[in-house]
Amino acid sequence: MRLTALFPLLCTLVAFILSLLCIFAGSKRGYIEHADIFTLNTSMLGRTTLDTSKSSSPLLTSIENSIKGEVNDLIADVAKTLNIHDFYSAHLLNYCEGYFTPGPLANKTVEPDKNITQCSNRTALFHFDPTAAIQKELKPGISLADLRWPSAIKDAVRTVEVASKAMFVLYCVGTAATGLALVGAFIGVLSDGRAAPLANNALASLALLALGIASAIATVIMSKVVHEINDKGNNIGISASKGKTFLGMTWAATVLMAVAAMAWIYEFVAHRPAIMGLKAVHFGGGNIGRGFVAEKLHLAGYEVVFVDVMESIIEQLQKTKEYTVTEIGGEGEKVNKITNYRAINSKTHEADVIEEISTADLVTCAVGPNILKFIAPVIAKAIDKRTASKPIAVIACENAIGATDTLAGFIKDSKNTPEDRLSSINDRASFANSAIDRIVPGQDPNAGLNVKIESFYEWVVDKTPFAKEGHPEVSAIKWVDDLNPYIERKLFTVNTGHAAAAYYGHARGKRTIHDALQDSEINKIVYDCLSETSTLIVKKHGISTEEQKAYVEKIVKRISNPHLEDVVERVGRAPLRKLSRKERFVGPASQLAESGEKIDALLGAIEQAFAFLDVKDDEESAELSKIMKSTEPKEVVTKVCGLEESHPLFKQIVPIVEKVQKNTK
């Protein structure tokens, strides 16, 4: 919730009410009749024949006091004799007429009250013509010419007719835009990000423009008509006055919308970092780092500083000013050009890395969960050095549950952050867990820095750590209050299905994930695995069976994409991590076992993962092979899967390890 947005919301609400009042004021008796555009006063009509105040006649002067009462009575009777009212008030939709209470007095010093007797019907595009209104009420046989009605008044009213109709249209547009701005303001209060303030500024500006022009027209019409009536009508005893209340309402609404528009600019600029000057430091120059995280940060306007220890990657990034990310989907390919980045080797230039992080807005990483402990010390030093008023955002983009929490734990370790600085570390850094989902297939050998990647992606981040300062502005990120459902659904669906297809495909000599899933038996096994994990996801997170089923279908279709050329050995690599306690197989299987649910398919996938041994260019596969050859089954389960003997899954995995050990001797 954006509490500061309550101010433009309040301004817009008041402006909306005022603009409605401007339209409907005086549209019927008793409804804000005093808020007229201008009032024509005809109560003194005929005073030139009766008023002796300007006469120099000694006779008239001598009897003035004695007949003053009769003069007043006669003045009051003239309008009634002519069958016209004391005044006519012009409004946007109609006009009203009535008499003064008490009646008009010669040489009056007290302003009389208005007593409205009737109002004309509401009419869109209404234009008040006082000449026509009075002529309509005169007794038969009497014309305006008889009253020496100035033709200049009629001409003045006619010249503003088009303007008054335009004024009505503009008030309608302005009020509608203000109403939309009010709805947008409510949304703006409840939402984060920069889209709402930007949209609300546009609506407020439209309302401001329409109301501003309408107010200006109203002011001009008032001035012109009132001036002409007072200038030309004085000789026959008619006058006019501006509607000060109407002017106050219309200009108040205009000013309030101007304030609201400026307030939304403030929300856009001050409460979110400006696009220019944003900097993100990203650890990991691999395919996920370049092809996913850096791509989305670049598109969000960040300068990206890559940090890695691989000299070959760093050197390429330093020498190459741009690279491409090709997104592959069913609709074809889309190529994004990535620029505005730098690269630093943290092994040889640690001080430079610390300096970059200390002045950055965001730190991300895609290095693998096992590497987090190695990047934590340099991040800790940089956080400790920060002096910026806003904490830096730290987001680990790893295929692991709670990866940012893990990284934060290493950063907060007393070996990396002094104990006396731990209590204030949240003033310098905000740590947010994330869930990422995007398939990066094997790349062409000569691709260089260029990356091919699937077009579908999901990057979900916990927004609760940013409640005070606001989260980083990255349009690709979906910010949520509860990340766990997204993490487990992704890990136990995408990663479980992907890895199961890879391990079974490897065992049966398939080259790619697409090839593996073309095998009907493997295809069924993968669906069986995801059926078991779906049971957990639906039960634990309240996701509907239908929604999860649709998600499974989408995921299987994604990983089956033949254009991705996803080699099974690449997907299956790092089996030690994939077999660990919170990962894609043991994680869901352990929870299902605790509640007595079926886990046959997951146990089969676990068996194939244990058999993923001595695969070329996979260090963990070689390490697993050593463990399997030198360790007792129970110890393997404890060491690799992180399960204690008392856990119900433990006794089900031990026979699997025994079987694999027997088959690989």
Side-chain angles (χ1 to χ4, degrees):
M1 179 176 288
R2 197 195 314 255
L3 294 179
T4 52
L6 289 172
F7 176 68
L9 169 63
L10 181 62
C11 290
T12 305
L13 175 61
V14 176
F16 181 63
I17 294 172
L18 289 174
S19 61
L20 284 175
L21 293 179
C22 286
I23 293 176
F24 292 102
S27 58
K28 62 180 180 179
R29 288 186 62 190
Y31 189 72
I32 322 178
E33 300 152 336
H34 61 286
D36 54 81
I37 299 175
F38 70 89
T39 295
L40 176 67
N41 185 346
T42 58
S43 64
M44 302 297 287
L45 188 64
R47 71 181 177 86
T48 54
T49 61
L50 296 173
D51 189 354
T52 64
S53 60
K54 294 183 179 180
S55 174
S56 58
S57 169
L59 177 62
L60 288 177
T61 301
S62 65
I63 64 173
E64 180 179 355
N65 292 331
S66 64
I67 68 169
K68 195 168 186 177
E70 285 83 354
V71 170
N72 288 333
D73 291 338
L74 288 172
I75 291 173
D77 288 341
V78 170
K80 292 179 181 178
T81 303
L82 296 173
N83 201 40
I84 61 176
H85 291 77
D86 287 348
F87 64 86
Y88 299 82
S89 298
H91 300 280
L92 204 59
L93 296 175
N94 64 337
Y95 72 92
C96 296
E97 57 191 19
Y99 298 100
F100 288 121
T101 304
L105 303 174
N107 303 318
K108 66 180 184 297
T109 58
V110 180
E111 188 74 23
D113 294 327
K114 290 180 179 179
N115 178 29
I116 302 290
T117 57
Q118 66 179 15
C119 296
S120 64
N121 295 329
R122 296 178 183 174
T123 305
L125 300 174
F126 173 75
H127 170 63
F128 177 55
D129 184 353
T131 301
I134 294 175
Q135 178 65 67
K136 180 180 177 182
E137 292 191 340
L138 287 174
K139 283 186 175 182
I142 302 176
S143 67
L144 289 174
D146 297 328
L147 301 177
R148 295 181 293 165
W149 189 269
S151 60
I153 295 178
K154 185 175 183 179
D155 294 338
V157 171
R158 188 185 300 116
T159 59
V160 297
E161 180 176 358
V162 175
S164 64
K165 293 180 178 180
M167 179 175 67
F168 170 79
V169 173
L170 287 167
Y171 272 115
C172 290
V173 172
T175 303
T178 306
L180 290 174
L182 183 61
V183 174
F186 277 109
I187 296 173
V189 170
L190 300 175
S191 65
D192 293 314
R194 308 179 79 187
L198 191 62
N200 286 336
N201 173 258
L203 288 172
S205 297
L206 175 61
L208 168 63
L209 180 64
L211 291 176
I213 296 175
S215 299
I217 292 175
T219 303
V220 171
I221 288 177
M222 282 186 190
S223 299
K224 182 174 181 60
V225 172
V226 169
H227 176 269
E228 287 297 324
I229 291 175
N230 288 336
D231 183 49
K232 308 299 182 184
N234 184 59
N235 292 333
I236 63 169
I238 61 173
S239 62
S241 59
K242 297 178 182 178
K244 294 180 180 179
T245 301
F246 182 90
L247 275 179
M249 292 194 307
T250 187
W251 282 112
T254 302
V255 170
L256 285 169
M257 289 315 300
V259 172
M262 290 187 287
W264 286 122
I265 292 176
Y266 170 80
E267 290 293 324
F268 181 78
V269 176
H271 283 247
R272 290 291 179 265
I275 288 295
M276 298 304 294
L278 291 174
K279 181 173 69 175
V281 176
H282 176 76
F283 284 80
N287 293 331
I288 286 288
R290 300 194 316 278
F292 184 8
V293 181
E295 178 205 29
K296 298 307 178 185
L297 293 176
H298 168 76
L299 294 175
Y302 285 78
E303 176 195 24
V304 178
V305 180
F306 288 100
V307 177
D308 209 310
V309 295
M310 292 185 63
E311 184 60 37
S312 59
I313 289 289
I314 294 299
E315 187 174 340
Q316 286 186 73
L317 287 166
Q318 289 175 340
K319 291 182 177 180
T320 308
K321 293 184 178 181
E322 63 182 47
Y323 65 89
T324 61
V325 175
T326 302
E327 299 181 351
I328 305 169
E331 66 282 359
E333 296 185 355
K334 177 185 176 183
V335 179
N336 289 321
K337 184 183 294 184
I338 311 303
T339 58
N340 192 29
Y341 60 82
R342 294 179 285 119
I344 303 174
N345 188 328
S346 58
K347 183 186 294 185
T348 58
H349 294 76
E350 181 181 286
D352 292 341
V353 176
I354 293 172
E355 182 61 30
E356 294 290 351
I357 297 174
S358 69
T359 57
D361 301 280
L362 174 64
V363 171
T364 57
C365 65
V367 294
N370 295 333
I371 307 299
L372 295 176
K373 59 186 175 184
F374 299 112
I375 68 172
V378 67
I379 298 176
K381 292 176 184 176
I383 290 174
D384 195 57
K385 185 181 177 181
R386 282 181 67 85
T387 57
S389 59
K390 185 173 183 179
I392 190 171
V394 181
I395 303 173
C397 306
E398 309 289 349
N399 272 323
I401 295 175
T404 305
D405 285 343
T406 302
L407 176 60
F410 290 131
I411 290 172
K412 295 175 182 179
D413 189 289
S414 59
K415 295 192 299 292
N416 298 319
T417 300
E419 291 186 4
D420 63 336
R421 297 283 285 170
L422 283 176
S423 61
S424 62
I425 193 171
N426 289 335
D427 295 332
R428 297 183 295 279
S430 298
F431 301 91
N433 285 312
S434 74
I436 61 168
D437 180 7
R438 200 174 199 184
I439 297 173
V440 183
Q443 303 295 308
D444 297 333
N446 300 318
L449 295 175
N450 299 333
V451 182
K452 282 190 176 181
I453 197 166
E454 74 163 329
S455 57
F456 175 89
Y457 73 89
E458 190 172 57
W459 188 359
V460 187
V461 180
D462 181 8
K463 72 177 181 180
T464 57
F466 306 106
K468 182 179 179 181
E469 299 291 343
H471 59 67
E473 192 61 32
V474 181
S475 59
I477 293 178
K478 180 177 182 179
W479 301 95
V480 298
D481 291 312
D482 184 6
L483 188 63
N484 286 331
Y486 295 91
I487 291 179
E488 289 205 336
R489 186 175 75 161
K490 184 265 178 181
L491 186 60
F492 298 163
T493 307
V494 181
N495 298 98
T496 300
H498 212 195
Y503 291 134
Y504 274 101
H506 174 74
R508 302 190 182 191
K510 307 297 183 181
R511 190 179 77 86
T512 66
I513 298 298
H514 170 73
D515 296 336
L517 288 171
Q518 291 300 108
D519 184 310
S520 59
E521 188 173 346
I522 296 177
N523 189 285
K524 182 180 183 304
I525 290 170
V526 170
Y527 270 107
D528 288 343
C529 287
L530 299 184
S531 175
E532 292 173 359
T533 59
S534 292
T535 299
L536 173 65
I537 292 166
V538 169
K539 181 178 179 181
K540 184 176 180 180
H541 297 298
I543 297 172
S544 70
T545 302
E546 294 75 15
E547 181 183 348
Q548 178 61 17
K549 183 178 179 180
Y551 184 69
V552 167
E553 291 294 335
K554 180 175 70 173
I555 296 308
V556 173
K557 182 179 179 181
R558 283 174 55 206
I559 64 178
S560 303
N561 188 344
H563 301 291
L564 291 176
E565 287 288 316
D566 221 356
V567 179
V568 295
E569 286 76 18
R570 188 203 71 81
V571 178
R573 68 188 176 190
L576 285 174
R577 175 168 61 85
K578 291 179 171 67
L579 283 166
S580 62
R581 181 67 172 81
K582 295 182 179 180
E583 265 286 346
R584 62 208 69 195
F585 296 129
V586 178
S590 63
Q591 296 180 60
L592 289 166
E594 289 168 2
S595 58
E597 299 285 352
K598 179 177 176 293
I599 56 172
D600 295 345
L602 286 171
L603 289 172
I606 290 172
E607 178 181 338
Q608 298 305 315
F610 270 110
F612 193 75
L613 304 173
D614 294 316
V615 175
K616 183 181 178 181
D617 297 327
D618 186 351
E619 293 180 2
E620 285 196 15
S621 175
E623 179 63 24
L624 178 60
S625 179
K626 291 179 182 179
I627 294 172
M628 294 292 283
K629 291 175 182 178
S630 61
T631 311
E632 291 297 317
K634 288 185 177 181
E635 188 180 344
V636 170
V637 176
T638 301
K639 184 176 182 178
V640 175
C641 301
L643 292 167
E644 59 277 6
E645 287 195 37
S646 60
H647 196 281
L649 182 61
F650 185 90
K651 62 183 180 181
Q652 298 185 69
I653 296 182
V654 171
I656 290 174
V657 174
E658 292 175 343
K659 178 181 177 181
V660 174
Q661 287 179 328
K662 181 180 179 180
N663 292 338
T664 55
K665 282 184 178 179

